[in-house]
Amino acid sequence: MHDGAWFGVALARAAMVTGDRWYRDLLLRELLPLYLKMLNHSDELFDPSRNDADQPVPVTWEGRQLGPEREQGFVPDWWNNGLSVSLEMLNRRDGVRRLTLPGRDELKETGDPECRLSGHSLGMSNHMAQDLAVLLQAAWKLLADRRDPEEVALRTAIGEAARHLEAGRARRGHPNIPAVVAAYARANDDGQRRCGGGGPSAGSELGGVGPHGAPTGTMPWRRRRRGKESAFRHSRMMRCTNGSLRSFGMGR
């Protein structure tokens, strides 16, 4: 999933620099629709009710696992049909061929000595969210001035995907990831959010309410900060956000 997002960014940049329609068509007809489908319809695609892993959820997965309800804005760490192999299963010292991290394994009942992956992960990291946000920004920039109905529809879907991505991170206590905020602000023409106010996660640092009534408080290790330290943190975050926008020719 990470590699595909960055491949999409490379295609967008190549299309803008060279004008070669091959790059543009591969991105807009093949790769981008897949990621938009996941972000905008993950509530239909991924079911969190079944976890086939036989190990406890690691502490590092706090705020990462899908569930307990289906939701939009989720892209799993992996989603496969049996053509890939799990190195984690192959390297288990106990020899058990089961998932070690939360996920759905369609081959669980039949058994699979080859440790193939068929199903999907139940995890999505902030790293994944950042990669997706950069892809959305690059694709939106490529389509910014287009009037073709199909491309206008794609641009609208990008804005929707950016909203779902931002909302999903906010639900997990991470409402101010710079790249994600930048993607949401630009794709939805939200100048207030781009400047550090308003937007779906406004007030999240004070335990506010985000999209769909979801709480947007910080993670346990991110305590509320006041005074100079808080002001410095906010200014640094906004410099990163504007820098992310400027990297695609979109910043102020």
Side-chain angles (χ1 to χ4, degrees), residues 92-147:
R92 285 186 60 157
R93 294 182 179 180
D94 57 11
V96 177
R97 299 315 195 196
R98 292 278 299 277
L99 294 175
T100 57
L101 295 173
R104 184 184 182 101
D105 182 6
E106 301 296 352
L107 300 177
K108 172 187 173 184
E109 300 301 326
T110 60
D112 179 34
E114 296 178 336
C115 300
R116 291 174 296 163
L117 287 173
S118 181
H120 62 82
S121 171
L122 291 177
M124 176 182 175
S125 64
N126 285 339
H127 181 192
M128 173 71 74
Q130 292 176 78
D131 292 351
L132 293 170
V134 176
L135 170 63
L136 295 178
Q137 291 181 71
W140 191 96
K141 176 64 175 178
L142 184 64
L143 295 168
D145 300 321
R146 300 296 170 176
R147 296 293 180 265

